Amino acid sequence: MAKSDAATPRERYRAQVRTEIKQHAWEQIATAGASALSLNAIAKRMGVSGPALYRYYAGRDELITELIRDAYRSLADAVHAAAGTGADLAGLAHVLRDWALADPQRYFLIYGTPVPGYHAPEEITGISQEIMADLLTACTALEPDAPATPFAAHLAGHRDWAGDHPAPPEALHRALAFWTRLHGVLSLELAGHFTGMGFDPAQLFRAELDDLVARRG
């Protein structure tokens, strides 16, 4: 008789509790930041003892890893789904912005200030590289007429961050420019630094994107 793939009641309960713990963790992060995350404080909110929670997460770092994995997986899936329907570089940029605006704390957990004392496992890097792979593919599609630049020449020999993607050096340059400039605009917008300046951050994001798409060298 084949073994059933259905989760047992115990497994379902465990998954439910882990989900509840993560929900409380996000509330803590929204209030005090990821560096203040505390399993004991979450246990108190849930009305259980601290040691009881350690049956579900071995410690703070394991919980942070789970939250970061969920965040990266969510963004990677959104970007990959858009790329799969033929989205170009501009389309992927708007997917990124919509995802960030939908949950700023989730965005800052993976692209904000690193949590002191925490080091993400290698598997997290793998998920982030999925996002970069779709970006590199979109950038490569724009590159046939782009002239070489000194930095692109540098990237020809320094491309470990791109994994095994065959993007040419000029596409690597564009991808890094896209990543740094658009994340710069997003980070400032989500942190409230444009408040009171009298312009629409969405228009600034669009202007930066238009320049990146049109840029040659």
Side-chain angles (χ1 to χ4, degrees):
M1 184 175 180
K3 184 179 179 180
S4 174
D5 290 331
T8 66
R10 182 186 181 91
E11 290 168 338
R12 289 196 297 271
Y13 177 75
R14 180 177 178 81
Q16 180 182 338
V17 174
R18 284 172 65 91
T19 297
E20 185 178 354
I21 291 170
K22 286 192 287 185
Q23 289 172 345
H24 285 290
W26 282 119
E27 291 171 6
Q28 271 196 13
I29 289 171
T31 301
S35 61
L37 194 62
S38 166
L39 282 178
N40 287 330
I42 292 173
K44 186 175 181 181
R45 288 287 304 275
M46 294 176 65
V48 299
S49 67
L53 244 62
Y54 284 87
R55 293 201 297 267
Y56 299 94
Y57 288 99
R60 183 205 67 158
D61 285 5
E62 183 180 335
L63 176 55
I64 291 176
T65 294
E66 184 85 359
L67 297 174
I68 290 175
R69 182 190 296 113
D70 288 353
Y72 266 126
R73 184 75 269 154
S74 172
L75 179 56
D77 288 349
V79 170
H80 194 61
T85 61
D88 57 9
L89 186 62
L92 298 186
H94 289 296
V95 168
L96 169 63
R97 185 169 188 271
D98 290 345
W99 183 89
L101 290 176
D103 192 338
Q105 294 303 326
R106 181 178 55 176
Y107 173 87
F108 281 125
L109 182 64
I110 60 176
Y111 293 119
T113 304
V115 178
Y118 172 78
H119 301 284
E122 202 168 300
E123 63 173 297
I124 301 300
T125 302
I127 301 173
S128 67
Q129 285 182 336
E130 293 178 33
I131 302 168
M132 184 57 73
D134 284 324
L135 174 58
L136 285 167
T137 297
C139 287
T140 299
L142 294 173
E143 287 302 323
D145 301 321
T149 64
F151 186 57
H154 170 77
L155 288 175
H158 299 81
R159 54 184 300 148
D160 290 352
W161 58 274
D164 58 2
H165 197 286
E170 293 74 22
L172 298 179
H173 186 178
R174 189 191 296 273
L176 283 179
F178 173 101
W179 209 234
T180 55
R181 286 172 61 175
L182 295 189
H183 274 301
V185 173
L186 273 175
S187 295
L188 289 169
E189 177 183 3
L190 294 175
H193 292 295
F194 296 147
T195 301
M197 294 182 70
F199 66 85
D200 182 359
Q203 295 294 327
L204 174 60
F205 186 88
R206 189 172 296 112
E208 287 292 284
L209 178 58
D210 289 344
D211 185 61
L212 285 164
V213 171
R215 183 177 63 84
R216 288 293 183 269

